[in-house]
Amino acid sequence: MTSHPTVGVEEEFLLIDPQSGEPIARNKQVAACAAEHGVDLQLELTSCQVETTTDVMGTSSALRRELTRLRRIATEAAAANGAQLLAVGLPPTVPHKFPVTPTARYRRIAHRFGMVAHEQGICGCHVHVAVPSRPHAIYVSNWLRPWLHVLLALTANSAIYRNTDSGYASFRSVLWSRWPCSGPPPHFDSAADYEASIDMLQRAGAALDDGMIYWDVRPSANFPTVEVRVSDVPATVAETVLLATLIRAGVMTALQLRAEGESVPVLADYAVRAAHWKAARDGLEGDGIYLLGDQSTVSVRELLDRYLETVRPALEVLGEYEMVHGEIARIAAEGNGAMRQRRAWRRRNEIADVIRELASAVTSD
């Protein structure tokens, strides 16, 4: 392999009241403060959220430094405005509904989609990897479909919601599935097939624009990249770096196979959605569905090992195999965000313990 596509990461964060733990509508103030320190935070649909965006990165070490810097400045900007920044897929405790950020586009979304838009506070991680063209992005999207649920299970970080254990490692993905253009995407035969699907969805009002195509992987609407959106925002920088590196290696592997003329198997949508649901429920501790074989159920750790071996040549080209192998073993032993939340919750069934655990992880590595 000779291709070394660049990578960029967007992370969404929750702003909460340090005393009550409830989401707090201060994204404009926090963004203004961060801007004074050279960080441009994006405003999300609800005004209790902000988003960081890295520069285009060529190595995982550079990405790690950038993510650490962005999280640190965003955390400090939140504290300066009486808020606590959390890297969490869903608020552990929530109000009746979330105020919508007052931009024209967000008001249109809130009007069209009602409570689906108002009951948000959903924080994900979006990984962009450069691809040569839209047809390349469609091939990569199809190739990644059997593995998306494995990445979700690895980084699940929304177990505690509405002051209780949701019963899911990633309840964020369950709530997110209420949007009409969310979850695992279909298999597309071509870029033209994809564009025709997007046109139909927009004519039907299921998406107001290209930015509302919320599928777990998609060609980016704004950049020459494929964008993977399946993950909760990971609890730590290390988990985000691991996720981005696994996705980058997957894209490299898919591009190589396309160049060699390999076709991508067409998987049944029901099987992909079942695998996604199971990953959201069981997370890293459970079993998953191996979609490329007999659709047998094996441990998520086994699925991770199979993915790792599939993309190993790309990881070795990047010089990242040992790092990735070690990080997967460490997270499996120490726990991802969902596991950390549950350990904190089970001590006393107190939200304050969960929030302390999440807060301590934001800028940790």
Side-chain angles (χ1 to χ4, degrees):
M1 294 187 186
T2 59
S3 177
H4 295 69
T6 54
V7 62
V9 174
E10 301 161 349
E11 291 191 299
E12 296 168 340
F13 298 100
L14 180 72
L15 300 170
I16 65 163
D17 183 293
Q19 279 70 51
S20 69
E22 288 197 357
I24 187 170
R26 294 187 184 170
N27 63 352
K28 287 188 175 181
Q29 298 94 316
V30 172
C33 183
E36 296 175 0
H37 298 276
V39 170
D40 183 18
L41 296 180
Q42 304 301 309
L43 305 183
E44 290 299 298
L45 175 60
T46 63
S47 51
C48 60
Q49 292 172 276
V50 292
E51 180 185 70
T52 61
T53 305
T54 71
D55 292 332
V56 175
M57 295 291 160
T59 66
S60 63
S61 58
L63 178 62
R64 186 185 306 272
R65 289 191 298 271
E66 177 73 346
L67 289 169
T68 300
R69 182 182 73 89
L70 293 174
R71 285 189 176 209
R72 176 181 56 79
I73 293 174
T75 297
E76 292 170 355
N81 286 276
Q84 171 73 59
L85 188 93
L86 296 184
V88 62
L90 285 175
T93 182
V94 299
H96 177 62
K97 68 178 184 178
F98 296 92
V100 171
T101 299
T103 67
R105 180 173 181 269
Y106 287 154
R107 286 194 182 105
R108 287 178 62 213
I109 291 173
H111 176 74
R112 165 75 67 172
F113 296 96
M115 288 303 294
V116 172
H118 283 280
E119 288 190 340
Q120 282 293 102
I122 291 175
C123 297
C125 178
H126 310 151
V127 177
H128 290 260
V129 181
V131 292
S133 69
R134 181 59 63 93
H136 286 84
I138 297 301
Y139 183 96
V140 169
S141 174
N142 289 337
W143 188 89
L144 284 171
R145 284 180 82 226
W147 300 109
L148 291 170
H149 66 294
V150 183
L151 300 175
L152 172 63
L154 175 64
T155 55
N157 187 28
S158 49
I160 307 302
Y161 183 63
R162 294 190 181 275
N163 301 296
T164 193
D165 189 327
S166 68
Y168 289 79
S170 174
F171 198 57
R172 165 196 165 274
S173 65
V174 176
L175 295 186
W176 191 243
S177 68
R178 297 177 300 180
W179 292 92
C181 307
S182 63
H187 180 104
F188 293 106
D189 293 331
S190 64
D193 183 25
Y194 176 84
E195 297 297 344
S197 301
I198 301 310
D199 181 62
M200 184 281 292
L201 290 166
Q202 293 186 14
R203 283 187 285 106
L208 299 185
D209 51 37
D210 288 349
M212 288 196 69
I213 304 304
Y214 293 145
W215 284 321
D216 291 339
V217 57
R218 69 181 186 185
S220 173
N222 301 312
F223 306 106
T225 65
V226 62
E227 180 182 4
V228 180
R229 308 168 49 89
V230 69
S231 175
D232 294 358
V233 62
T236 64
V237 167
E239 288 168 86
T240 300
V241 172
L242 173 62
L243 173 70
T245 306
L246 286 170
I247 291 171
R248 187 185 188 195
V251 173
M252 290 173 65
T253 302
L255 292 175
Q256 181 69 22
L257 292 172
R258 184 180 187 273
E260 294 170 358
E262 292 287 332
S263 61
V264 177
V266 180
L267 304 175
D269 287 344
Y270 75 86
V272 176
R273 294 193 69 85
H276 187 98
W277 175 85
K278 188 165 180 56
R281 186 186 183 281
D282 296 346
L284 187 57
E285 297 177 282
D287 293 334
I289 301 172
Y290 182 53
L291 291 169
L292 289 175
D294 58 2
Q295 298 183 350
S296 58
T297 300
V298 299
S299 72
V300 170
R301 183 59 193 273
E302 172 65 21
L303 290 177
L304 279 166
D305 287 344
R306 293 181 187 185
Y307 181 76
L308 190 58
E309 286 308 303
T310 300
V311 303
R312 180 170 183 167
L315 288 171
E316 290 181 338
V317 166
L318 293 170
E320 304 286 12
Y321 177 77
E322 294 302 326
M323 181 277 287
V324 166
H325 187 272
E327 280 298 300
I328 289 176
R330 183 184 67 81
I331 292 169
E334 297 178 4
N336 61 8
M339 295 160 71
R340 294 167 71 147
Q341 287 182 43
R342 282 180 166 144
R343 282 201 300 265
W345 173 252
R346 288 166 182 166
R347 291 184 198 124
R348 300 185 302 159
N349 287 2
E350 290 286 346
I351 285 296
D353 294 341
V354 178
I355 290 172
R356 274 193 295 272
E357 174 64 32
L358 290 167
S360 69
V362 174
T363 54
S364 70
D365 194 49

